[in-house]
Amino acid sequence: MAVSANLLAVPVAAPLLTAALILLFARWGGRTLIRHQIALTALALCINLAAAALLFRAAAGQGQRFVLQLGAWSAPFGITVYGDGLSATLLLMTALVALAVYPFAVATIDYHRARMGFHPLYLFLLMGVNGAFLAGDLFNLYVFFEVLLMASFVLLTVGAQPAQTNSGIRYVVLNLLASTVFLVAAGIAYGTLGTLNFAQIAERLPLASPAVRTVFAGLLLVGFGSKAAIFPLFFWLPASYHTPPPAVTALFGGLLTKVGVYTLFRSFTLFFPELLQDWQPVLLTIASATMLVGALGALAQPGIRRVLSFHIISHVGFMLMGLAVALSGNNLAFGFGLGAAIIYLCHHMIIKTALIMAGGAVELHMGSDRLASIGGLVSRQPFLAFLFFTAAISLAGVPPFSGFVSKLSLLQITLDTRHWVVSGVSVFASLLTMMNMMRLWRESFWGDYSRPSRVPSRILQSSVRQRLMLTPVAVLVLLSLALGIWGEPAFRLSMQVAQQALDRQAYIEAVSPSAQTSTLPAGLFTVPAETVSTILSKEN
Amino acid sequence: MISLLLAFAVGSLFACGTYLIMRRGQIKLILGLALLSHGVNLLLFGSGRLTEGRPPIFLNKADYAETLSSSLPADPLPQALILTAIVISFGITAFVIVLVNRRHTVTQTDYVHGELTPLLREGDPFDFSESAELDQYDWLAYEVDEVYDSEELLTGFPTLPPSEQDESTAMEQDQYRWP
């Protein structure tokens, strides 16, 4: 089946339209309405998954690039929507994670949060994430960032528990600061290069002065890096992720930081491939620090969800390490680092979501997620214990699971490129991950059964809800197992995706086949020595 | 000259915004965020050309090239960008104000309990007992409607006396009926 570029609109339009439809009737209230909301949301998630799967097959499997110029306005003037293998991989993973978390959310989100608009917010968050993966220019990327941030602000704070409002403020302020930095970068790009379109920025950036390039790259690194929670900029994440209901934490843990990682991948490979070489020591240092701080910080955390969310930071460090060595290595292994980072990203999205959901189930059974006050659950909930254990060892990188393939490939490329220190750090961080996971397992499942601190939640009295909670975890663990078993084809696919993403010229030609300009337009930040007349004469 | 002035304006807006965000007070935080967004808007405004009295309107299609080469008109795109950015920052500021107000209602304090509080206190840095109290909340409790509907809004969270606990669990059971 031939895939049209119009399919690119579906991952944004389907959640948006469904959420708008739900909101139209949201004020009527009532349980019947919530049931309809759930059905509609599930439908939108399925449509999204189908579209993402089609796109993935065409873009990642067959190496196509899809460009949708909205309203048929050509590239620099209209809104460009761009989808290639990298975008499609992330779209597919996002669709999977969103669809997997949704049954868990339906089972555990209470009626009041549902009435406050949980289901449409879920779709708005999905729309923002999908839009960020598809955006073809900086300003639309900013807009989609804000869409997903706004949805996440409300999802984080709906319910207004004291801890939620406390963490909400820190999350909101730090993310707004990151958005501000990113918007400054967009302003500087427009002022110096006269364009916001990704392809044109990539085309014109070599003409700009090195100072402009450095400032632009630095601002993007800070802006996207704090979305991705890299080393000195991660403080919003451990401050907030443990406070909302576990369904929200699972969704955030699966999706939000990955948007930052994707934008880092996209901007560094497309705009400044040379900086990947020049800044490699800096990037590797940041990556090592992120890995270490994430794993060590998780060791000091007192609760399951606190450990798991702090640990996300460590994984971001692994992905950044893959990006830093993306262009290193010999010609045969071109893009090896990025390919390894992409497969790591997929593994992380799957298994982290599964673990947070399993942790949420533990929290429900024990009435608390504080490791000091829980224990011995393995005798009461063997299936949950089994799922948690398999997910945990997959995260730690034990062979039959996806964690092994992704960690091995990342380690291989760092060893091949002779970055001994960072590869040592990554092995050490993996060891710490193992320690963390075993600590969680020991404290919550082994030992004497400790009575729950309060009456077990009513959710657990419904067997339908129980099944809705555990089935997605089981599916995600199986997916991780499949990714581990079919590791070689999966890795070959992610190598293709990486090589496609690293091919800048093809990106530029796919988006704007127009004539190349050799001069920069006059803006505030450039001296208008060469004026528009020369550009115009060239066009005529 | 005017661009220098603009640069100073952007710089001072950023400086004041950053300073205000670093203060402890919540109102200062909101003001700081607002100043920062104004700073970015001005920067976006300056990223087009700063021209005077040359609107980007061509009366005659034939000689637009000459008009362009003689004097560059104003760039209309940054205004569209600023408009979008203003709308977004307006919505977010409104949200932050509501959040701060809500937080103040719930916790009755202007002080944000930080992750580093145990480290800043004297004694055992790994003593989480204080933050443990903060964490002891029920993510399945949803006081939202009750609080909104009652006068409890003014007095913080309603805590039920033990005698009424059974009634509340019955309510909870009702709320967890399969939707």
Side-chain angles (χ1 to χ4, degrees):
Chain A
M1 192 176 114
V3 179
S4 148
N6 287 329
L7 198 62
L8 289 180
V10 174
V12 176
L16 173 64
L17 295 179
T18 317
L21 184 69
I22 290 174
L23 281 182
L24 269 184
F25 302 103
R27 297 305 298 173
W28 290 358
R31 283 171 198 281
T32 326
L33 194 85
I34 301 288
R35 219 178 295 150
H36 291 317
Q37 288 191 358
I38 290 173
L40 274 176
T41 310
L43 179 70
L45 291 173
C46 291
I47 294 175
N48 178 42
L49 180 64
L54 277 178
L55 272 176
F56 178 77
R57 207 189 55 174
Q62 299 158 10
Q64 296 183 36
R65 292 164 192 271
F66 297 102
V67 183
L68 180 60
Q69 312 280 10
L70 291 186
W73 288 88
S74 62
F77 304 109
I79 292 173
T80 305
V81 182
Y82 177 83
D84 63 357
L86 185 56
S87 318
T89 312
L90 278 151
L91 280 179
L92 182 67
M93 284 299 141
T94 302
L96 276 174
V97 165
L99 190 59
V101 176
Y102 194 62
F104 188 88
V106 169
T108 55
I109 291 296
D110 52 85
Y111 175 58
H112 287 268
R113 284 202 174 90
R115 268 190 56 202
M116 302 293 283
F118 177 83
H119 300 284
L121 279 169
Y122 195 95
L123 289 176
F124 279 129
L125 184 76
L126 181 67
M127 170 206 162
V129 173
N130 281 346
F133 292 148
L134 289 171
D137 65 79
L138 274 182
F139 203 76
N140 282 304
L141 185 60
Y142 168 73
V143 170
F144 279 117
F145 260 141
E146 295 302 309
V147 170
L148 82 89
L149 275 186
M150 202 66 210
S152 69
F153 292 164
V154 187
L155 278 179
L156 188 72
T157 51
V158 67
Q161 299 270 348
Q164 272 183 302
T165 51
N166 262 333
S167 70
I169 286 177
R170 277 173 276 171
Y171 178 85
V172 168
V173 170
L174 290 178
N175 270 297
L176 281 187
L177 279 178
S179 293
T180 308
V181 172
F182 171 39
L183 197 55
V184 170
I188 284 181
Y190 191 72
T192 51
L193 307 170
T195 182
L196 290 167
N197 191 284
F198 281 174
Q200 274 199 324
I201 291 177
E203 201 177 28
R204 290 182 182 175
L205 209 55
L207 307 173
S209 68
V212 168
R213 249 179 300 164
T214 313
V215 168
F216 186 48
L219 285 172
L220 285 189
L221 183 64
V222 171
F224 293 154
S226 49
K227 307 272 180 200
I230 63 172
F231 164 56
L233 309 165
F234 62 80
F235 290 97
W236 57 271
L237 196 152
S240 59
Y241 269 28
H242 59 280
T243 55
V248 178
T249 310
L251 190 69
F252 283 12
L255 301 185
L256 289 194
T257 48
K258 269 42 94 189
V259 181
V261 173
Y262 163 80
T263 43
L264 277 179
F265 282 4
R266 178 62 84 206
S267 56
F268 270 82
T269 54
L270 185 64
F271 300 158
F272 348 90
E274 74 284 350
L275 286 188
L276 279 181
Q277 303 284 354
D278 297 348
W279 288 14
Q280 199 178 47
V282 182
L283 289 177
L284 283 176
T285 312
I286 294 176
S288 314
T290 313
M291 281 187 278
L292 271 186
V293 170
L296 286 174
L299 269 184
Q301 296 295 316
I304 295 181
R305 263 199 289 162
R306 279 170 173 269
V307 171
L308 289 177
S309 49
F310 211 112
H311 210 274
I312 295 173
I313 299 163
S314 170
H315 294 272
V316 171
F318 278 91
M319 297 167 208
L320 191 65
M321 178 175 88
L323 174 69
V325 294
L327 289 179
S328 316
N330 52 23
N331 286 331
L332 283 177
F334 179 68
F336 195 101
L338 194 61
I342 289 169
I343 202 165
Y344 196 92
L345 189 65
C346 300
H347 146 74
H348 170 78
M349 284 174 85
I350 292 171
I351 214 65
K352 183 58 90 178
T353 313
L355 259 180
I356 295 177
M357 285 197 284
V362 173
E363 206 172 326
L364 264 182
H365 281 285
M366 305 305 289
S368 160
D369 81 330
R370 303 189 68 78
L371 291 171
S373 58
I374 62 178
L377 200 57
V378 70
S379 56
R380 308 291 170 107
Q381 291 291 326
F383 186 56
L384 173 61
F386 172 73
L387 286 180
F388 191 93
F389 183 75
T390 42
I393 60 172
S394 171
L395 193 75
V398 171
F401 293 98
S402 57
F404 175 68
V405 182
S406 44
K407 277 193 173 150
L408 180 72
S409 49
L410 270 177
L411 193 60
Q412 198 177 340
I413 178 67
T414 42
L415 287 178
D416 280 355
T417 49
R418 293 163 197 283
H419 297 296
W420 309 119
V421 177
V422 75
S423 52
V425 167
S426 75
V427 171
F428 184 58
S430 298
L431 202 69
L432 288 176
T433 307
M434 194 66 172
M435 258 179 84
N436 268 314
M437 292 304 123
M438 289 308 109
R439 173 166 161 257
L440 286 187
W441 167 257
R442 195 188 64 225
E443 302 278 344
S444 51
F445 290 98
W446 269 0
D448 295 329
Y449 181 70
S450 52
R451 278 178 50 76
S453 51
R454 56 193 166 85
V455 186
S457 168
R458 305 278 157 183
I459 292 174
L460 299 172
Q461 292 177 0
S462 154
S463 64
V464 182
R465 284 181 190 270
Q466 288 244 40
R467 251 174 270 147
L468 277 179
M469 276 163 54
L470 289 188
T471 317
V473 184
V475 170
L476 287 179
V477 168
L478 279 180
L479 211 62
S480 162
L481 185 63
L483 197 60
I485 289 175
W486 285 282
E488 207 204 322
F491 187 71
R492 219 180 297 130
L493 202 61
S494 74
M495 280 293 288
Q496 276 177 25
V497 169
Q499 284 167 4
Q500 193 191 20
L502 286 171
D503 192 353
R504 301 173 62 227
Q505 210 52 46
Y507 187 117
I508 294 170
E509 277 162 18
V511 174
S512 64
S514 63
Q516 307 225 339
T517 49
S518 57
T519 52
L520 293 178
L524 177 69
F525 309 126
T526 47
V527 186
E530 178 136 39
T531 50
V532 175
S533 58
T534 50
I535 302 171
L536 279 174
S537 65
K538 231 172 262 167
E539 279 178 5
N540 298 334
Chain B
M1 183 59 208
I2 190 78
S3 57
L4 197 66
L5 206 63
L6 192 71
F8 271 113
V10 172
S12 48
L13 277 175
F14 266 92
C16 296
T18 314
Y19 175 73
L20 283 176
I21 282 178
M22 300 229 211
R23 306 300 303 271
R24 269 214 175 274
Q26 309 276 298
I27 301 299
K28 288 170 187 148
L29 184 83
I30 298 172
L31 289 177
L33 285 176
L35 283 188
L36 271 187
S37 70
H38 288 324
V40 179
N41 289 343
L42 263 190
L43 184 128
L44 280 177
F45 179 67
S47 72
R49 279 175 297 277
L50 289 177
T51 55
E52 203 179 315
R54 286 194 292 277
I57 300 169
F58 300 106
L59 296 174
N60 193 348
K61 199 184 172 188
D63 57 22
Y64 85 103
E66 284 168 36
T67 320
L68 270 184
S69 55
S70 60
S71 67
L72 286 168
D75 189 346
L77 187 73
Q79 300 174 16
L81 301 185
I82 293 169
L83 195 59
T84 316
I86 285 177
V87 172
I88 290 174
S89 69
F90 169 74
I92 286 178
T93 309
F95 177 78
V96 175
I97 289 174
V98 172
L99 181 63
V100 164
N101 179 37
R102 183 85 195 124
R103 191 188 153 279
H104 188 257
T105 312
V106 170
T107 59
Q108 291 293 309
T109 168
D110 199 36
Y111 168 69
V112 179
H113 187 93
E115 286 290 301
L116 290 177
T117 312
L119 295 174
L120 297 175
R121 271 189 289 118
E122 291 193 5
D124 182 8
F126 289 98
D127 175 19
F128 284 94
S129 52
E130 188 175 315
S131 62
E133 277 164 31
L134 249 178
D135 274 4
Q136 285 302 335
Y137 73 100
D138 187 356
W139 54 269
L140 291 167
Y142 19 86
E143 286 87 345
V144 183
D145 286 30
E146 286 89 335
V147 173
Y148 277 168
D149 290 341
S150 66
E151 292 172 357
E152 305 287 352
L153 190 62
L154 301 175
T155 54
F157 263 112
T159 44
L160 290 174
S163 57
E164 293 176 27
Q165 289 279 345
D166 291 334
E167 199 183 325
S168 82
T169 46
M171 276 168 56
E172 198 183 334
Q173 187 166 22
D174 182 50
Q175 277 144 0
Y176 277 111
R177 225 171 53 213
W178 177 241

